[in-house]
């Protein structure tokens, strides 16, 4: 029965992808870059000016009260979803389909996206709500409802996030785990899928607080292991790294292979794949990280906006770049037969032998599994926004488990294309919303900077901003 249901869903997804993916991305590429530039300019390059402050806020943010999260825990939960398959498999896919130049466009997407991430996570803090147990919930669905007074648009966003993170992205994570473990240990996808379902169920029925606890301890450790391996490899080839970087820049502006769509030859495959995989990896402006940002307890909304902005930098500028250079330093990254995680594993085999294949399979298993639970945390918050009833949440959890298994047994093309399509819908809704709410972001940033200049620890007093207070449902949080 599950096999028949999976086949039916696969057929439906294929039809949707064939008809919607291209037009959606024609729109998304303009909005994504346009909004990023809009916030970069209007905030006066916040990603550069307040970068030191973002590091300080992440490490020294005040401890959580009750069941809320510390800034570091919220950062780690967001990083659990960001740092994962996108940094390893996604980068490889971008290079395989778009060439070296795709890496440059991932950098561009991340740099200008840092300002979008700052804006959306700051808004998530302002419009969050507090549950009876003292924990906080928020995100685009909440700031759209309160800030824009549009319940319909908020529900549309919540549904798009649920499909993107609860279903599509978790299918991608599971699919990448299966491919990596099959290459390394010849594990069968059906059995890996069943084990993933069991392990995922053990976590998601334990609540978001457990997710944050696991993420804050596991994510830094596995990211460190992966970066150590990358540094060792880069050190082995330090003399040719400048050439690799030069080739990335050169290939970024080669338009011999057009991406198609209404842009035609104006958009190369390198640009399109770099933007798609960059967004998948760092999620800047997509509307996902604000769900984790809202769960933190901070004195000023801008504090958490800066923390999430830092997450985009770490994800793409550091982790993704390490993966890209590892691949580009190998001998056959242009092979037609090597794509996705297989390309990265082959690169590690070239550099450090068979150990690299097994090492990456183990690391990816941890990365992808943490991403699955991080993705679930985002989706659960939006499920509760639509209907906060136990039976509804349980039904959603069972659906998540089904798609974890679905991704384990279906082809990579199906799950990646599914993710691209729903991701575009989600990003469009959120980016439009944060532009409409941009005056609030500017006021909060000025308030934060003013207090910094006065030598104070920034603390938001909502009574000083009655025009914001009248929109916020639970303004008592900021008294």
């Amino acid at each position: 029965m599950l096999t028949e249901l999976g086949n039916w869903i696969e057929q439906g997804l294929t039809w949707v992808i064939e008809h919607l993916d291209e037009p959606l991305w024609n729109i998304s590429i303009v909005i994504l870059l346009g909004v990023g530039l809009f916030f970069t300019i209007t905030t006066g390059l916040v990603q550069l000016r307040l970068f030191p402050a973002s590091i300080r806020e992440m490490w020294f943010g005040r401890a959580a009260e009750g069941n809320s999260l510390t800034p570091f825990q919220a950062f780690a939960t967001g990083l659990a979803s960001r740092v994962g398959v996108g940094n390893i498999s996604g980068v490889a896919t971008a290079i395989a389909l778009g060439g070296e130049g795709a890496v440059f466009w991932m950098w561009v997407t991340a740099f200008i996206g840092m300002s979008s991430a700052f804006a959306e996570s700051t808004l998530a803090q302002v419009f969050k709500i507090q549950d009876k147990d003292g924990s906080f919930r928020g995100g685009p669905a909440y700031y759209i409802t309160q800030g824009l007074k549009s319940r319909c648009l908020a529900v549309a966003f919540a549904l798009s996030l649920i499909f993107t993170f609860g279903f599509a992205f978790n299918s991608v994570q599971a699919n990448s785990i299966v491919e990596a473990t099959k290459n390394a240990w010849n594990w069968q996808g059906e059995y890996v899928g069943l084990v993933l379902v069991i392990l995922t169920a053990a976590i998601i029925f334990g609540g978001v607080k457990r997710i944050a606890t696991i993420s804050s301890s596991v994510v830094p450790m596995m990211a460190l292991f992966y970066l150590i391996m990358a540094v060792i490899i880069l050190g082995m080839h330090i003399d040719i790294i400048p050439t690799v970087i030069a080739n990335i820049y050169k290939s970024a502006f080669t338009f011999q292979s057009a991406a198609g769509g209404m842009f035609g030859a104006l958009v190369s495959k390198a640009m399109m794949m770099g933007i798609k995989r960059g967004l998948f990896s760092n999620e800047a402006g997509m509307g996902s990280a604000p769900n984790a940002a809202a769960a933190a307890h901070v004195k000023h909304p801008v504090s958490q906006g800066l923390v999430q902005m830092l997450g985009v930098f770490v994800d793409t500028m550091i982790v993704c770049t390490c993966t890209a250079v590892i691949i580009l330093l190998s001998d056959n990254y242009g092979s037609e037969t090597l794509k996705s995680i297989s390309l990265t594993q082959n690169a590690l085999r070239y550099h450090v032998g068979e150990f690299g294949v097994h090492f990456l399979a183990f690391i990816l298993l941890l990365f992808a599994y943490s991403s699955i639970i991080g993705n679930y945390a985002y989706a659960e918050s939006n499920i509760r926004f639509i209907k906060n009833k136990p039976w509804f949440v349980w039904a959603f959890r069972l659906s998540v488990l089904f798609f974890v298994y679905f991704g384990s047994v279906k082809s990579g093309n199906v799950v990646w294309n599914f993710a691209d399509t729903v991701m575009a819908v989600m990003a469009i809704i959120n980016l439009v919303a944060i532009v409409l709410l941009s005056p609030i972001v500017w006021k909060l940033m000025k308030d934060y900077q003013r207090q910094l200049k006065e030598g104070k620890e920034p603390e938001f007093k909502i009574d000083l901003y009655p025009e914001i207070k009248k929109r916020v449902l639970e303004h008592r949080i900021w008294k």
Side-chain angles (χ1 to χ4, degrees):
M1 181 177 177
L2 284 177
T3 301
E4 292 179 0
L5 178 60
N7 291 336
W8 180 83
I9 291 176
E10 182 178 4
Q11 293 173 6
L13 291 178
T14 301
W15 184 92
V16 170
I17 291 165
E18 288 177 350
H19 290 81
L20 294 181
D21 185 62
E22 186 175 292
L24 278 173
W25 273 100
N26 286 335
I27 299 171
S28 298
I29 194 171
V30 174
I31 297 178
L32 180 68
L33 297 178
V35 172
L37 287 171
F38 171 77
F39 278 108
T40 295
I41 294 170
T42 59
T43 60
L45 288 171
V46 65
Q47 58 267 66
L48 294 180
R49 290 190 305 102
L50 295 181
F51 188 79
S54 70
I55 298 175
R56 185 184 67 250
E57 291 288 356
M58 189 269 290
W59 281 112
F60 301 109
R62 72 179 179 184
E65 296 180 2
N67 287 323
S68 60
L69 306 182
T70 66
F72 177 76
Q73 285 180 319
F75 172 79
T77 302
L79 210 58
S81 183
R82 282 194 180 109
V83 178
V85 169
N87 307 88
I88 302 174
S89 181
V91 172
T93 302
I95 292 174
L97 298 179
E100 303 103 305
V103 180
F104 172 82
W105 293 109
M106 292 184 75
W107 293 339
V108 171
T109 303
F111 178 75
I112 65 173
M114 287 172 70
S115 64
S116 301
F118 166 78
E120 64 183 356
S121 293
T122 298
L123 289 170
Q125 273 288 321
V126 176
F127 294 101
K128 66 187 179 183
I129 64 173
Q130 190 168 24
D131 289 330
K132 294 179 180 179
D133 63 357
S135 62
F136 297 110
R137 283 187 289 118
Y142 297 82
Y143 57 66
I144 290 172
T145 299
Q146 298 176 52
L148 299 179
K149 306 299 181 184
S150 177
R151 170 76 180 179
C152 291
L153 185 61
V155 170
F157 174 84
L159 288 172
S160 68
L161 185 144
I162 290 163
F163 272 87
T164 302
F165 280 83
F167 306 152
F169 281 11
N170 278 345
S171 294
V172 169
Q173 306 294 341
N175 186 270
S176 296
I177 289 174
V178 167
E179 183 179 351
T181 54
K182 185 176 182 180
N183 291 339
W185 308 310
N186 200 31
W187 289 359
Q188 296 303 305
E190 295 85 353
Y191 300 114
V192 173
L194 287 174
V195 173
L196 284 176
V197 167
I198 294 171
L199 293 176
T200 302
I203 295 296
I204 66 176
F205 285 98
V208 175
K209 185 64 176 179
R210 181 181 295 180
I211 294 170
T213 302
I214 292 174
S215 298
S216 61
S217 58
V218 173
V219 172
M221 177 187 68
M222 60 188 179
L224 179 62
F225 286 158
Y226 183 70
L227 289 174
I228 289 173
M229 172 66 78
V231 169
I232 292 173
I233 293 173
L234 267 58
M236 293 165 56
H237 303 278
I238 190 68
D239 56 323
I240 59 175
I241 288 179
T243 301
V244 171
I245 300 298
N247 288 337
I248 289 174
Y249 282 100
K250 181 180 178 180
S251 300
F253 301 97
T254 299
F255 290 83
Q256 295 175 349
S257 182
M262 70 179 183
F263 292 106
L266 295 178
V267 178
S268 66
K269 284 186 178 179
M271 183 176 182
M272 182 62 80
M273 290 309 303
I275 292 173
K276 278 187 176 183
R277 295 296 165 256
L279 181 61
F280 177 89
S281 180
N282 60 54
E283 302 170 21
M286 191 191 299
S288 51
N291 293 272
H297 187 72
V298 294
K299 293 183 177 180
H300 200 289
V302 167
S303 298
Q304 197 61 35
L306 293 173
V307 169
Q308 295 302 327
M309 182 182 77
L310 179 64
V312 176
F313 176 85
V314 171
D315 172 87
T316 303
M317 300 302 192
I318 297 179
V319 185
C320 285
T321 299
C322 286
T323 300
V325 175
I326 288 172
I327 293 171
L328 297 176
L329 286 170
S330 65
D331 59 343
N332 59 351
Y333 65 84
S335 172
E336 293 291 332
T337 60
L338 292 174
K339 297 179 180 179
S340 191
I341 189 62
S342 298
L343 179 58
T344 313
Q345 285 181 304
N346 182 75
L348 285 178
R349 179 187 285 115
Y350 171 81
H351 294 298
V352 297
E354 288 298 321
F355 166 76
V357 177
H358 300 291
F359 172 81
L360 188 61
F362 175 72
I363 289 294
L364 187 79
L365 185 62
L366 294 177
F367 270 136
Y369 180 63
S370 71
S371 292
I372 287 174
I373 60 177
N375 291 345
Y376 171 80
Y378 290 157
E380 183 194 277
S381 176
N382 286 268
I383 278 289
R384 294 186 182 278
F385 170 81
I386 295 174
K387 194 174 186 67
N388 194 10
K389 296 292 183 181
W391 68 266
F392 195 60
V393 175
W394 272 68
F396 165 68
R397 289 171 176 171
L398 293 175
S399 298
V400 169
L401 297 178
F402 171 80
F403 275 95
V404 168
Y405 185 78
F406 177 85
S408 302
V409 298
K410 295 301 178 182
S411 72
N413 285 337
V414 170
V415 295
W416 274 103
N417 290 333
F418 175 32
D420 283 341
T421 302
V422 293
M423 175 174 67
V425 175
M426 177 179 162
I428 290 171
I429 297 173
N430 181 62
L431 290 167
V432 170
I434 63 175
V435 167
L436 295 175
L437 292 169
S438 57
I440 294 177
V441 177
W442 301 333
K443 289 178 182 179
L444 292 170
M445 185 183 69
K446 290 179 180 178
D447 180 72
Y448 181 89
Q449 292 179 142
R450 174 184 58 79
Q451 294 185 59
L452 278 183
K453 289 180 180 179
E454 294 174 355
K456 301 177 181 177
E457 181 182 1
E459 186 169 359
F460 182 54
K461 301 291 185 181
I462 199 168
D463 289 336
L464 298 177
Y465 297 91
E467 70 280 10
I468 297 178
K469 183 177 180 179
K470 67 181 181 182
R471 299 195 198 188
V472 176
L473 179 64
E474 296 191 25
H475 51 77
R476 60 184 175 81
I477 294 172
W478 298 108
K479 284 187 176 181

